[in-house]
Amino acid sequence: MSAIELKSGDRTVPVKIIKKDGNDLHISLGEKKYHLNLVKVENNIYSILLDGKSYDVEVVATEIKNRYSARYLCHPYSIEVLDAETRYMRSRLNALGESEENIVSCPMPGKIVRIPVNAGDSVTAGEVVIVVAAMKMESEYKTGKTGVIKEILVKEGDVIEANMPLIILE
């Protein structure tokens, strides 16, 4: 089926879903194959049954796309899902010489409605820096960190592609 990589710390492991039947998954994680049962039991909480043992794991999406904070018992883990789109975006960001944390982008195509900031403005984490109209709705996009607007790559009225870098922070 689909192949992705999971990154946690310095370790990156290829994950492939071999077969999915309801909550039953046959996956390969690196060179090993597993048969597990995965159920979402409540918001952000998943139950994994593997080799007769149950694991309850909390998984919370972070403000950065495809990055998650996971917790099993008292152990926190940072996990990044590296899919084809993430690898593509990373190569585009590398071409710009920027890291993902410094980029504000929109996950879908749309039209730039408003840009309430200018290059050189100081912004705080969570501040709205661009408004995009897509699918007959306007969405506000916020910074994931405090910083200074280094560059605005679009202007009001521009039509944008999904995941296109819109604003770069420093």
Side-chain angles (χ1 to χ4, degrees):
M1 292 180 111
S2 61
I4 59 172
E5 292 178 313
L6 295 180
K7 182 177 180 186
S8 183
D10 294 335
R11 186 172 179 216
T12 302
V13 179
V15 177
K16 183 175 182 180
I17 299 173
I18 300 166
K19 180 180 174 187
K20 181 178 180 195
D21 184 17
N23 295 329
D24 284 329
L25 294 172
H26 294 264
I27 65 169
S28 64
L29 188 62
E31 297 297 320
K32 296 182 179 180
K33 292 183 179 178
Y34 299 94
H35 174 214
L36 56 95
N37 184 278
L38 175 69
V39 177
K40 183 175 183 177
V41 292
E42 61 184 81
N43 196 23
N44 300 327
I45 306 292
Y46 296 86
S47 175
I48 300 169
L49 185 61
L50 175 66
D51 297 331
K53 188 172 180 181
S54 179
Y55 303 89
D56 291 329
V57 180
E58 179 183 30
V59 180
V60 178
T62 68
E63 292 182 3
I64 300 172
K65 185 177 187 240
N66 285 349
R67 290 196 183 171
Y68 301 88
S69 173
R71 182 175 301 274
Y72 172 68
L73 297 176
C74 295
H75 305 285
Y77 301 92
S78 294
I79 299 172
E80 181 176 11
V81 176
L82 302 172
D83 58 7
E85 182 182 341
T86 302
R87 287 189 283 271
Y88 172 72
M89 283 304 298
R90 188 164 285 166
S91 71
R92 288 179 69 177
L93 295 175
N94 286 339
L96 291 172
E98 297 294 336
S99 70
E100 219 171 312
E101 292 82 14
N102 293 344
I103 302 292
V104 176
S105 63
C106 173
M108 61 184 76
K111 185 176 182 180
I112 305 298
V113 175
R114 188 167 50 93
I115 305 171
V117 294
N118 296 302
D121 286 356
S122 294
V123 293
T124 57
E127 186 173 335
V128 174
V129 292
I130 197 159
V131 179
V132 177
M135 300 174 63
K136 299 180 181 179
M137 295 177 12
E138 289 187 5
S139 300
E140 297 178 334
Y141 290 89
K142 303 172 182 177
T143 62
K145 67 176 220 173
T146 298
V148 175
I149 303 293
K150 179 179 178 184
E151 188 174 1
I152 299 173
L153 304 170
V154 292
K155 60 183 183 302
E156 293 180 0
D158 281 357
V159 175
I160 59 168
E161 299 173 21
N163 299 311
M164 179 179 159
L166 305 175
I167 293 179
I168 300 173
L169 298 169
E170 57 182 353

